[in-house]
Amino acid sequence: MTINSPERTAHSQPRSACSRGIRVVAGAVFLLVASIAGPSWAQLKPGQSDQFAGETCTLTLAPGVATTSKQAHWRLNTANRTLTQGVSELKPAKELQSSNAGGAAERSFVIKTPEVKSGVMLEVDLFLHFGDPLSETRHPLRLHSPDCFVNIRQTLRDAGIALYDPAGITEDALKKTGLTPNVAASLKRVDSEAIIVIGESIAWDKRTVKAAEQWASDGKWVIVLRPTDASTWPMQTSAADGVKLAFTSITNSRWRPKQLDLDFWSSHAEHARGWELQVSNNQLRMTPAIGPQVWQLAEYQSRENHGGCLFVGVPLISRWNESPVPRELLTHILLQTLPHPQLDP
């Protein structure tokens, strides 16, 4: 056994401190060099956690990320198994016409997602880097089947669903996903259906307002999709006849699924879309709005838990093919408006 003398121990401490100092300086130099020349950490822009399965999907990087890189190396994993992988060219976001396209500094790339069974949601991990595997980052994704109605199609048919959509845009979108509501050519051609959907991007008029309010008073649920920006809806200013009026954001609403990346609605450069109240001709009106603080959903009920109108402020149909988010939100809303609301599938 060797016993160190006090003199030797005293000399060993400065050498240890010196070594630590060298390591600190070396680490600082490394970080300085890394900040100048790389690595570039792969970060996705928020609002892209939900993607379609079995399709080529466009993903957008956060602003300023990988501005000099030319390729994105990616792989999709689940349960420590690689499902698919590839190397994609990085291009300006607007050039790829991404739904998440923003400023000129943003870059996008495409990935090919594996197929899943209809009605299935698969959780996977996207691993991403720009040529240096040591700088690889992980991004959880949820892959949704494009056919979002497969598990509730028969339930909706049994309850009855009608669609008033003179523009035909909403009808086309729903039919492509296998949902075939009774398309009403006239507001008077709605009979026994429990749910009525007023199509997106149509102009509201007095007849539309009157019909929807009558349907709600009859115990039906009316899903009013976002109209043309020029349309407004007159609101009652009193609580007469037991009418309950509520404005809310999607994130704080019972109308949203528990797992859904609602940052998707803010992925454009513009502010969130929704509703605001305005006074016009001495009448309180609900009008479509774009701004940092608007309500995305508005609801009124004619009687307690029996019939009402839900106004959806965010554009569902116009962004129908960009992400599963609009489809899943509408699916959940339809479930919640059934006579006996069911739990999340």
Side-chain angles (χ1 to χ4, degrees):
M1 176 169 46
T2 303
I3 300 176
N4 293 331
S5 66
E7 182 179 2
R8 182 174 179 181
T9 303
H11 283 294
S12 66
Q13 292 174 352
R15 284 199 299 269
S16 176
C18 181
S19 298
R20 288 195 298 271
I22 292 174
R23 289 197 296 270
V24 170
V25 172
V29 171
F30 173 80
L31 292 175
L32 177 61
V33 172
S35 65
I36 297 175
S40 181
W41 300 100
Q43 296 296 328
L44 295 180
K45 192 174 180 179
Q48 304 178 89
S49 296
D50 293 277
Q51 297 291 331
F52 286 120
E55 295 192 7
T56 299
C57 303
T58 300
L59 298 177
T60 300
L61 301 173
V65 172
T67 54
T68 60
S69 301
K70 295 183 179 180
Q71 293 180 324
H73 299 251
W74 57 270
R75 57 190 172 93
L76 294 178
N77 276 35
T78 182
N80 297 321
R81 181 170 63 93
T82 298
L83 300 175
T84 183
Q85 60 185 335
V87 179
S88 301
E89 184 179 359
L90 282 171
K91 295 183 178 180
K94 293 182 179 180
E95 184 176 334
L96 282 177
Q97 298 180 340
S98 168
S99 61
N100 304 294
E106 295 180 4
R107 312 286 297 284
S108 294
F109 63 99
V110 298
I111 64 172
K112 175 62 178 177
T113 57
E115 294 185 358
V116 300
K117 293 182 179 180
S118 295
V120 171
M121 188 272 291
L122 177 65
E123 294 185 354
V124 300
D125 288 318
L126 168 68
F127 289 93
L128 180 64
H129 67 85
F130 304 121
D132 180 8
L134 295 179
S135 65
E136 186 176 69
T137 54
R138 182 180 71 89
H139 307 271
L141 298 181
R142 290 182 292 266
L143 304 183
H144 301 256
S145 167
D147 183 3
C148 57
F149 297 113
V150 63
N151 293 326
I152 65 170
R153 190 173 291 125
Q154 188 59 50
T155 303
L156 291 174
R157 286 175 181 169
D158 293 342
I161 177 172
L163 171 66
Y164 176 67
D165 181 43
I169 300 174
T170 302
E171 178 185 356
D172 290 342
L174 296 182
K175 283 186 175 180
K176 289 179 181 178
T177 51
L179 189 64
T180 55
N182 175 30
V183 180
S186 167
L187 291 168
K188 298 180 180 180
R189 298 292 298 273
V190 176
D191 188 14
S192 59
E193 291 84 5
I195 304 172
I196 300 98
V197 178
I198 297 181
E200 188 169 287
S201 300
I202 65 173
W204 295 339
D205 53 27
K206 293 181 179 179
R207 294 183 305 109
T208 306
V209 174
K210 184 177 180 180
E213 290 178 342
Q214 182 60 51
W215 293 330
S217 66
D218 291 339
K220 301 178 185 294
W221 266 103
V222 185
I223 310 302
V224 186
L225 302 186
R226 188 177 174 86
T228 58
D229 288 347
S231 295
T232 62
W233 195 285
M235 304 302 299
Q236 297 186 22
T237 56
S238 67
D241 301 324
V243 172
K244 296 195 306 179
L245 174 64
F247 287 81
T248 184
S249 63
I250 296 179
T251 54
N252 297 323
S253 172
R254 72 179 177 91
W255 300 96
R256 71 176 180 91
K258 294 180 180 178
Q259 283 190 327
L260 200 63
D261 189 355
L262 299 176
D263 285 338
F264 167 79
W265 302 117
S266 301
S267 58
H268 280 293
E270 66 189 20
H271 289 299
R273 289 173 171 261
W275 303 109
E276 65 180 7
L277 291 177
Q278 294 182 346
V279 177
S280 176
N281 296 325
N282 295 321
Q283 185 176 30
L284 187 65
R285 290 182 175 272
M286 184 175 66
T287 180
I290 299 177
Q293 293 180 334
V294 295
W295 305 112
Q296 290 92 17
L297 296 174
E299 169 192 353
Y300 78 77
Q301 289 182 291
S302 58
R303 291 192 294 272
E304 184 71 20
N305 297 323
H306 185 66
C309 289
L310 177 69
F311 298 84
V312 183
V314 292
L316 295 182
I317 305 303
S318 62
R319 302 189 66 180
W320 194 251
N321 296 320
E322 297 177 7
S323 165
V325 172
R327 305 185 187 196
E328 295 292 343
L329 180 58
L330 182 57
T331 302
H332 186 78
I333 288 174
L334 293 175
L335 275 175
Q336 294 300 308
T337 51
L338 289 172
H340 301 286
Q342 301 178 7
L343 299 176
D344 284 345

